[in-house]
């Protein structure tokens, strides 16, 4: 399995305005979040600890512990993904969602490498740290809620006829005369409410410090993204240029040379043998039409005009009709994407169908295209061939990878020996 990912760089200053003010409703929602985490946090952290403990403890028992460790990594990532989404929605931070870190290697080794990369990802660990802190704060908030209820009950102690009362908070064991009960109860409610609001504000500050990347990290990510896209664009252009040169040298050029030689022979025989000259001219005419057809196909490989005129759905329908193997096409798009995004997906599918026809010995192929929520154009090409496809420098799959990376998208290939082969590409519509 091959995965190359270039996530979009987060806006540099989008988080600051969202955190500039904290209205009462946001504080109330933060308190609810903390209370909820105080309930489920212990369960989640216990499950994480249990998976890690079982994995390490049973790793020598026929490798059974490895299954628990794999489950731990996935659950670890899911918890971090949830925390990033929770913090982003709560404080209206324009944070990019946490993405699975793939590997450039293929097969089982690539999958293990992706697990390791995800486990050591710094952003994942920061999200987990923020989740743990929020769970601890949530547990404290629940105890403070309990203290508020106790304080409210203590306020009505004089109605019970008791002589003394116990302080409403468990950590205050002193007893007080019942005449002080209303004051002690009111003070307990005020202090508990103030502490809850303080924890909500503290959670806001800590979330900003832990989850939101700093300016330096944002600039570093932008530079990395831009460099990867530029490198992919340069490599895609080199691969495309090499393909054009190869097609011209191996196809059109020899045919045009043959046309020139045939016309030369016809010119020599036009006086002495008109019939032979006429036949040679007819042969040259046929070869010329074949050369024009090859040039049209070559131009279509460089740019599909139907893609601009009628959209991706029509362009893929025309592509499927020209395929040498049957293609099942399923395209569902509500609207159009940018020209670069549609072109990247179109040429990825075209190259995949070409590879399937040339190398996979497939009898059928299925193409699925979706315009997903969030503005991502996703496509999957699957054939029932013999599998074993690999990304080779300068090859067709390398060209797909470079073109998709240049558009800011992701490329994933699964092709085990014996098949089937599936290729997935995701490109942001605004690329």
């Amino acid at each position: 399995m091959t995965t190359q990912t270039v996530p979009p760089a987060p806006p540099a200053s989008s988080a600051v305005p969202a955190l500039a003010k904290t209205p009462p409703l946001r504080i109330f929602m933060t308190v609810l979040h903390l209370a909820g985490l105080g309930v489920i946090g212990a369960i989640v952290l216990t499950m994480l600890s249990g998976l890690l403990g079982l994995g390490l403890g049973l790793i020598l028992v026929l490798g059974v512990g490895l299954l628990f460790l794999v489950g731990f990594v996935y659950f670890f990532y899911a918890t971090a993904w949830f925390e990033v989404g929770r913090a982003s929605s709560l404080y209206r931070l324009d944070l990019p969602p946490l993405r699975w870190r793939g590997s450039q290697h293929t097969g089982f080794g690539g999958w293990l490498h992706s697990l390791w990369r995800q486990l050591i990802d710094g952003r994942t660990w920061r999200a987990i740290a923020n989740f743990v802190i929020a769970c601890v704060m949530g547990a404290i908030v629940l105890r403070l809620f309990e203290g508020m209820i106790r304080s409210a009950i203590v306020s009505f102690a004089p109605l019970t006829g008791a002589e003394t009362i116990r302080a409403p908070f468990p950590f205050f064991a002193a007893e007080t005369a019942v005449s002080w009960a209303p004051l002690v109860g009111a003070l307990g409610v005020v202090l508990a409410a103030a502490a809850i609001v303080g924890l909500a504000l503290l959670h806001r500050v800590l979330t900003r410090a832990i989850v939101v990347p700093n300016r330096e990290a944002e600039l570093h990510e932008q530079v990395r993204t831009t460099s990867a896209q530029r490198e992919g664009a340069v490599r895609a252009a080199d691969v495309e240029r090499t393909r054009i040169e190869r097609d011209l040298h191996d196809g059109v050029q020899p045919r045009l040379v043959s046309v020139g030689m045939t016309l030369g022979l016809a010119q020599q025989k036009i006086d002495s043998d008109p019939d032979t000259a006429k036949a040679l001219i007819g042969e040259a005419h046929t070869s010329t039409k074949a050369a024009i057809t090859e040039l049209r196909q070559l131009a279509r490989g460089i740019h599909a005009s139907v893609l601009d005129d009628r959209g991706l759905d029509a362009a893929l329908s025309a592509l499927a009709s020209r395929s040498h193997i049957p293609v099942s096409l399923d395209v569902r798009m509500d609207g159009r994407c940018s020209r670069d995004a549609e072109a990247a997906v179109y040429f990825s599918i075209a190259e995949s169908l070409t590879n399937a026809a040339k190398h996979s010995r497939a009898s059928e192929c299925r193409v699925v295209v979706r315009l997903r929520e969030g503005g991502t154009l996703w496509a999957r090409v699957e054939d029932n061939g013999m599998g074993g496809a690999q990304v080779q420098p300068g090859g067709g799959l390398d060209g797909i990878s470079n073109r998709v990376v240049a558009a800011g998208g992701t490329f994933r290939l699964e092709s085990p020996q014996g098949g089937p082969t599936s290729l997935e590409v995701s490109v942001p519509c605004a690329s």
Side-chain angles (χ1 to χ4, degrees):
M1 180 172 61
T2 301
T3 305
Q4 297 182 7
T5 306
V6 181
S13 60
S14 59
V16 177
L19 291 173
K21 297 181 180 180
T22 306
L25 179 60
R26 191 66 47 78
I27 296 178
F28 177 73
M29 293 301 299
T30 302
V31 172
L32 290 182
H33 276 231
L34 291 177
L37 290 178
V39 175
I40 68 171
I43 301 175
V44 174
L45 296 178
T46 299
M47 292 178 64
L48 283 172
S49 302
L51 287 173
L52 181 60
L54 287 173
L56 295 177
L58 299 177
I59 194 170
L60 298 179
V61 183
L62 300 177
V64 175
L66 294 177
L67 299 177
F68 289 99
L69 290 178
V70 170
F72 168 78
V73 174
Y74 279 107
F75 193 40
F76 191 79
Y77 165 75
T79 304
W81 178 87
F82 164 80
E83 179 62 16
V84 171
R86 185 190 68 83
S88 182
S89 62
L90 176 61
Y91 295 119
R92 297 181 182 177
L93 307 175
D94 192 12
L95 296 176
L98 192 65
R99 298 180 182 272
W100 184 266
R101 297 177 63 87
S103 172
Q104 296 181 351
H105 304 289
T106 58
F108 183 71
W111 175 68
L112 291 178
H113 186 231
S114 67
L115 289 177
W116 173 251
R117 291 190 65 194
Q118 191 59 54
L119 185 61
I120 63 174
D121 180 50
R123 192 173 178 219
T124 302
W125 278 98
R126 291 197 302 271
I128 291 295
N130 195 72
F131 178 80
V132 173
I133 294 174
C135 290
V136 174
M137 288 184 174
I140 298 174
V141 165
L142 292 178
R143 297 301 299 273
L144 290 173
F145 271 127
E146 180 184 354
M148 287 183 64
I149 296 174
R150 289 176 177 271
S151 298
I153 295 174
V154 165
S155 300
F156 297 95
L159 301 179
T160 64
E163 296 182 357
T164 60
I165 58 168
R166 186 178 296 273
F169 291 97
F171 43 82
F172 290 121
E175 292 188 352
T176 309
V178 72
S179 59
W180 291 91
L183 178 60
V184 172
L187 185 61
V189 171
V190 171
L191 290 178
I196 291 174
V197 173
L199 286 175
L201 296 176
L202 179 60
H203 176 266
R204 165 181 171 266
V205 174
L206 292 178
T207 299
R208 179 180 180 180
I210 297 175
V211 178
V212 179
N214 56 37
R215 178 64 175 171
E216 182 179 355
E218 291 176 354
L219 292 176
H220 177 74
E221 181 66 18
Q222 290 178 359
V223 170
R224 188 191 69 82
T225 301
T226 303
S227 299
Q229 291 181 340
R230 182 177 65 249
E231 180 182 354
V234 171
R235 292 184 61 191
D238 288 341
V239 172
E240 188 70 10
R241 177 180 56 81
T242 302
R243 183 187 68 83
I244 295 172
E245 292 176 350
R246 182 182 65 247
D247 292 345
L248 288 174
H249 183 271
D250 297 341
V252 180
Q253 180 179 339
R255 191 176 296 277
L256 292 177
V257 171
S258 176
V259 169
M261 294 176 62
T262 302
L263 290 176
L265 291 175
Q267 185 179 14
Q268 295 176 4
K269 294 181 178 294
I270 194 169
D271 294 327
S272 60
D273 192 353
D275 293 336
T276 301
K278 183 178 180 180
L280 290 171
I281 292 175
E283 180 182 345
H285 180 257
T286 302
S287 297
T288 302
K289 291 193 294 183
I292 292 174
T293 300
E294 290 186 10
L295 285 174
R296 286 177 178 173
Q297 293 177 349
L298 182 61
R300 188 182 295 115
I302 300 173
H303 174 69
S305 58
V306 67
L307 191 62
D308 290 337
D309 299 337
R310 300 172 56 192
L312 182 61
D313 193 355
L316 292 178
S317 298
L319 183 65
S321 66
R322 298 192 303 267
S323 175
H324 296 291
I325 57 177
V327 177
S328 173
L329 189 61
D330 182 8
V331 180
R332 301 180 188 177
M333 294 181 59
D334 184 14
R336 295 285 302 270
C337 286
S338 66
R339 181 180 181 275
D340 292 339
E342 291 189 351
V345 171
Y346 172 82
F347 287 111
S348 298
I349 295 174
E351 186 64 34
S352 299
L353 294 179
T354 300
N355 289 341
K358 288 183 178 180
H359 309 296
S360 71
R361 302 178 185 175
S363 60
E364 61 179 357
C365 191
R366 175 177 172 81
V367 177
V368 181
V369 180
R370 296 286 187 271
L371 182 57
R372 292 180 166 176
E373 295 183 3
T376 299
L377 185 58
W378 173 86
R380 176 182 176 89
V381 183
E382 183 174 355
D383 65 64
N384 62 347
M386 62 182 182
Q390 294 183 352
V391 179
Q392 302 291 342
L397 293 175
D398 188 39
I400 294 176
S401 172
N402 294 328
R403 186 183 287 270
V404 170
V405 170
T410 62
F411 162 83
R412 176 170 180 163
L413 172 68
E414 293 183 359
S415 184
Q417 291 294 338
T421 296
S422 64
L423 181 142
E424 292 186 12
V425 295
S426 296
V427 179
C429 278
S431 62

